[in-house]
């Protein structure tokens, strides 16, 4: 099945997206359809001409933007000027402005007695001009989708106002509704600007180096293995590897890191990051459509199309709510006059008749504010997280993150660096434990044997010897022999040097009880001990440990302060795991776990805490990530697999973003609840007023517009929440 993607112009609220989705799905040849209100994108699966789709979309009151100017447009000026420009740019809002001008002229002229009998004609003209797009959309939706929508409610209310002799109220309702819908569309468009700002991070051109010199070309023309030049202060145009130069690169737009990262020969750089003071030559490793920034934008767009549970519930409620309101209004208009002889028409000087009250009910019950309450908030929350290098793959995961009660951590590469280093060296004859020539000799002998190995522990030994200037004391060992998981042996200066585990030495190389207890003591602290012998006597030991990430303990402390229980899940042995757990402040430590055991542990945590997040960085963590309520991947900037398997991806190896993500998710979820509560409470209050004849049509629509605007602006607060957290 072929899927085509179009950009839709004129969507003001999430209900518009539902309307287009249902209308297009009824076309012959359409196999699948999805409309993303957040991105204004229409996804159509099947073989159907674009012209046919455009005709259906136009029939519903919208249009397709084949030049894609909506998504490509850079963020525009805001405020009153921005809203005025928005009104002037759309056909239906220009008609609303003309209608509003007629209403204003009529009111002013009436004050001076200039309109007389044509007052009603002018107001009917205002209703007709401003209400034409509204009525057309409402009736088209009724005939095409067989649905009652908001526009049809307003059309009925305006016509009803004319019937009862209230053309001014009818015209006011239509004008305020049109402007209110436009205001919703404008504020939603401003929310979309936060996503467009991601697009603007990447340069559109790059300086490519050729045998003839430099040439400026569009980034789309770059090929893998091309070399580009990035001058100081410029944005990196494409993912690649540094081949010449060194510089500090600001990766905040991609990974959220607050401090520039030093880059030199062989270092990986990402599109959209900002070069510092050095000149860099970079070999391109990805095409424009597949670079890190493009993948981030794609993930954010996809995330915004994944509706949160609250949003799905609201959408389902709105589909039943609107036709139900029409039925209730009809009963409200008919039953009191028929059964209780109450006035149907307006009675001058008395309370409103029941037809007027029913029309007020239609206007008040408009579900705009309710429908818009979740999507704008989710857009803002996901985009705010992306700006900090946290990719949340959908509204459902954003909401779930706000409900997490337990956090399961992998150890190696997550809480720790995942890179062992030598922590101490001690010769058997050293009595003080302080560095001494004999201790240095132990490290030099070990490095001579380990130089040819790629094992992480061997690399740690060689690296330590290089740092201390011991790497050249002995020539590399000869006759290297691996000892089946227990150690390694080689010949150095004619001596047989063996490096191995404590258990190997206990079995084959006698040593004093005091030395035995010394090694037991360092291993009890979670360090790995490697003993060294020259075949005649034990020379000493080297300890290696995987160091904690900076701030790991503070992260655990912050999560506990949020009421979240941290748990450590690791395949490492119990002693090492307990040492790491104690160092970072995790009481619940589960060690010696295979991937299947981690899944079992996650299921046990789910039974206890209900909502559990799992964070890891390795392939062996994937099953546990999938089993958790929310799976979080580390270091996703360099790992496509991590981005694909997890529900949330940290672009950098930065655990500091976890408490921020939890706070943001809770804040966003609370905003959705606030918006829903405010919308329903306002509806209830005005429904009671309408029932007792205390709500006029113009006041009802003004309240609806005001609440819609209020929940939209409230829903955009996560964007400023991100800035306030940064500055705190």
């Amino acid at each position: 099945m072929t899927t085509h993607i179009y950009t839709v112009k004129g969507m003001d609220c999430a209900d518009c997206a539902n309307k287009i989705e249902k209308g297009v799905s009824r076309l012959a040849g359409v196999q699948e359809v999805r409309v993303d209100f957040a991105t204004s994108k229409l996804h159509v699966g099947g073989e159907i001409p674009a012209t046919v789709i455009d005709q259906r979309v136009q029939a519903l009151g919208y249009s397709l933007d084949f030049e894609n100017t909506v998504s490509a447009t850079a963020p525009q000026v805001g405020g009153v000027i921005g809203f005025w420009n928005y009104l002037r740019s759309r056909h239906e809002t220009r008609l609303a402005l003309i209608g509003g001008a007629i209403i204003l002229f009529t009111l002013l002229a009436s004050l001076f007695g200039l309109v007389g009998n044509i007052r009603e004609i002018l107001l009917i003209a205002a209703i007709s001009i401003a209400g034409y797009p509204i009525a057309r959309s409402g009736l088209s939706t009724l005939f095409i989708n067989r649905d009652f929508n908001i526009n049809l409610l307003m059309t009925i209310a305006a016509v009803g106002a004319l019937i009862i002799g209230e053309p001014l109220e009818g015209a006011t309702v239509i004008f305020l509704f049109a402007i209110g819908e436009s205001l919703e569309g404008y504020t939603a468009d401003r929310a979309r600007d936060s996503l467009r700002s991601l697009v603007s991070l990447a340069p559109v051109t790059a300086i490519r180096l050729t045998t003839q010199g430099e040439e400026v070309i569009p980034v789309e023309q770059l090929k893998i293995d091309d070399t580009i030049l990035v001058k100081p202060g410029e944005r990196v145009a494409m993912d690649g590897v540094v081949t010449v130069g060194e510089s500090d690169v600001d990766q905040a737009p991609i990974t959220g890191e607050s401090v520039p990262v030093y880059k030199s020969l062989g270092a990986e750089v990402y599109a959209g990051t900002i070069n510092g003071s050095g000149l860099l030559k970079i070999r391109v490793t990805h095409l424009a459509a597949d670079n890190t920034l493009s993948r981030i934008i794609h993930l954010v767009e996809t995330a915004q199309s994944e509706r949160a549970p609250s949003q799905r519930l609201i959408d389902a409620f709105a589909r039943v709510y609107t036709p139900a309101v029409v039925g209730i209004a009809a009963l409200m208009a008919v039953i009191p006059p028929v059964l209780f002889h109450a006035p149907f028409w307006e009675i001058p000087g008395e309370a409103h008749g029941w037809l007027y009250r029913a029309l007020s009910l239609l206007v008040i019950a408009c579900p705009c504010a309710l429908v818009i309450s979740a999507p704008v908030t989710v857009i803002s929350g996901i985009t705010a997280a992306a700006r900090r290098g946290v990719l949340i793959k959908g509204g459902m995961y954003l909401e779930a993150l706000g409900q997490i009660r337990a956090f399961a951590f992998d150890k190696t590469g997550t809480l720790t660096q995942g890179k062992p280093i030598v922590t101490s060296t001690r010769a058997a004859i050293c009595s003080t434990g302080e560095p001494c020539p004999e201790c240095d000799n132990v490290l030099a002998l070990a490095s001579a044997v380990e130089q040819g190995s790629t094992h992480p522990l061997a690399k740690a030994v060689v690296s330590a010897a290089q740092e201390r200037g011991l790497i050249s004391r002995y020539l590399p060992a000869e006759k290297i022999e691996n000892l089946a998981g227990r150690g390694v042996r080689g010949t150095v200066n004619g001596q047989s040097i063996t490096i191995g585990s404590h258990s190997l030495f206990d079995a084959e190389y006698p040593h004093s009880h005091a030395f035995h207890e010394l090694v037991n003591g360092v291993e009890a602290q979670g360090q790995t001990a490697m003993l060294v012998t020259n075949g005649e006597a034990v020379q000493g030991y080297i300890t290696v440990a995987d160091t904690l990430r900076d701030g790991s303990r503070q992260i655990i402390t912050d999560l506990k302060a949020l009421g979240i229980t941290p748990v450590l899940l690791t395949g490492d042995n119990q002693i090492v795991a307990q040492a790491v757990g104690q160092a970072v402040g995790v009481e619940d430590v589960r060690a010696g776990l295979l991937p299947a055991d981690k899944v079992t542990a996650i299921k046990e945590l789910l039974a206890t805490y209900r909502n559990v997040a799992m964070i890891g960085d390795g392939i062996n963590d994937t099953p546990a990530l999938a089993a958790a309520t929310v799976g979080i991947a580390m270091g996703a900037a360099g790992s496509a697999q991590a981005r694909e398997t997890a529900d949330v991806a940290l672009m950098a190896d930065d655990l500091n973003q976890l408490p921020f993500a939890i706070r943001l998710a809770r804040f966003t979820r609370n905003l959705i609840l606030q918006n829903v509560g405010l919308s329903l409470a306002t509806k209830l209050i005005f429904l009671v007023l309408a029932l007792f004849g205390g709500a006029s049509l113009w006041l009802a629509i003004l309240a609806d517009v005001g609440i819609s605007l209020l929940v939209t602006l409230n829903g955009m607060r996560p964007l400023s929440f991100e800035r306030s957290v940064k500055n705190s």
Side-chain angles (χ1 to χ4, degrees), residues 136-453:
R136 180 172 177 266
S137 174
L139 293 172
S140 296
T141 302
L142 180 63
F143 294 135
I144 295 173
N145 294 352
R146 298 177 178 84
D147 277 344
F148 285 93
N149 75 343
I150 299 165
N151 291 336
L152 188 61
L153 295 184
M154 293 303 108
T155 303
I156 294 172
V159 172
L162 288 176
I163 291 173
I164 63 175
E166 295 286 351
L168 178 59
E169 291 211 31
T172 304
V173 163
I174 287 294
F175 173 72
L176 289 177
F177 176 72
I179 296 300
E181 288 285 283
S182 299
L183 195 54
E184 284 181 32
Y186 171 69
T187 50
D189 209 44
R190 299 296 294 171
R192 294 185 186 111
D193 278 348
S194 60
L195 176 58
R196 294 173 198 160
S197 66
L198 292 177
V199 179
S200 66
L201 290 177
V204 295
T205 61
I207 302 174
R208 181 168 62 182
L209 299 179
T210 66
T211 53
Q212 288 78 32
E214 301 177 2
E215 61 176 354
V216 179
I217 63 170
V219 292
E220 291 80 8
Q221 294 182 17
L222 287 173
K223 299 181 178 63
I224 293 176
D225 290 332
D226 280 350
T227 298
I228 61 174
L229 182 69
V230 182
K231 298 177 181 178
E234 291 184 343
R235 288 190 181 272
V236 177
M238 196 66 61
D239 284 7
V241 174
V242 176
T243 57
V244 176
E246 56 184 33
S247 183
D248 290 323
V249 176
D250 180 2
Q251 298 191 154
I254 302 298
T255 65
E257 293 165 289
S258 57
V259 178
V261 179
Y262 175 73
K263 303 287 183 178
S264 59
L265 181 65
E268 190 173 7
V269 293
Y270 308 119
T273 57
I274 305 169
N275 187 21
S277 58
L279 188 71
L280 296 178
K281 292 182 181 179
I282 298 168
R283 177 176 59 83
V284 174
T285 56
H286 292 85
L287 299 176
D290 192 42
N291 64 35
T292 301
L293 184 58
S294 297
R295 293 194 297 266
I296 290 174
I297 293 168
H298 173 71
L299 282 173
V300 174
E301 288 183 339
T302 304
Q304 293 174 343
S305 69
E306 295 290 336
R307 292 174 181 169
S310 59
Q311 187 176 345
R312 291 198 296 268
L313 183 63
I314 290 169
D315 290 344
F317 175 74
R319 282 193 291 272
V320 177
Y321 172 82
T322 306
V325 164
V326 175
I328 293 172
L331 294 175
M332 187 174 175
V334 173
I335 290 178
V338 171
L339 297 183
F340 304 105
H341 305 291
F344 180 74
W345 302 101
E346 293 289 86
I347 300 176
E350 298 187 14
H352 289 302
W354 285 94
L355 176 58
Y356 185 95
R357 299 182 192 191
L359 295 175
S360 298
L361 173 65
L362 287 180
V363 175
I364 292 164
C366 174
C368 290
L370 186 63
V371 173
I372 200 72
S373 59
V376 169
T377 313
V378 170
I379 293 171
S380 301
I382 289 175
T383 306
R387 288 177 175 177
R388 288 283 291 267
V390 181
L391 296 186
I392 302 175
K393 293 189 176 180
M396 61 184 296
Y397 304 118
L398 180 65
E399 283 200 9
L401 200 58
Q403 297 173 290
I404 293 300
R405 291 294 173 264
F407 228 115
F409 288 86
D410 171 51
K411 179 183 74 69
T412 305
T414 303
L415 285 175
T416 66
Q417 297 283 358
K419 182 180 178 181
I421 63 170
V422 171
T423 53
S424 67
T425 303
R426 182 161 183 176
I429 61 174
C430 178
S431 59
T432 64
E434 298 295 326
C436 63
E438 289 78 9
C439 296
D440 285 347
N441 196 56
V442 172
L443 181 59
L445 285 171
S447 67
V449 178
E450 300 282 25
Q451 284 183 45
S453 175

Side-chain angles (χ1 to χ4, degrees), residues 410 595-596 598-599 602 614-628 630-633 639 641-647:
D410 171 51
K598 288 186 178 182
V599 173
I602 290 294
M614 168 72 188
I615 180 167
D617 72 320
I619 295 175
N620 62 330
D621 296 321
T622 303
L625 294 177
V630 179
I632 304 174
S639 171
Q641 183 178 17
R643 284 192 300 270
E644 294 301 322
T645 57
D647 306 317

Side-chain angles (χ1 to χ4, degrees), residues 359-361 363-364 686 695-705:
L359 295 175
S360 298
L361 173 65
V363 175
I364 292 164
F686 275 83
S696 62
L697 291 177
W698 68 267
L699 183 60
I701 191 62
L702 195 61
D704 180 72
V705 170

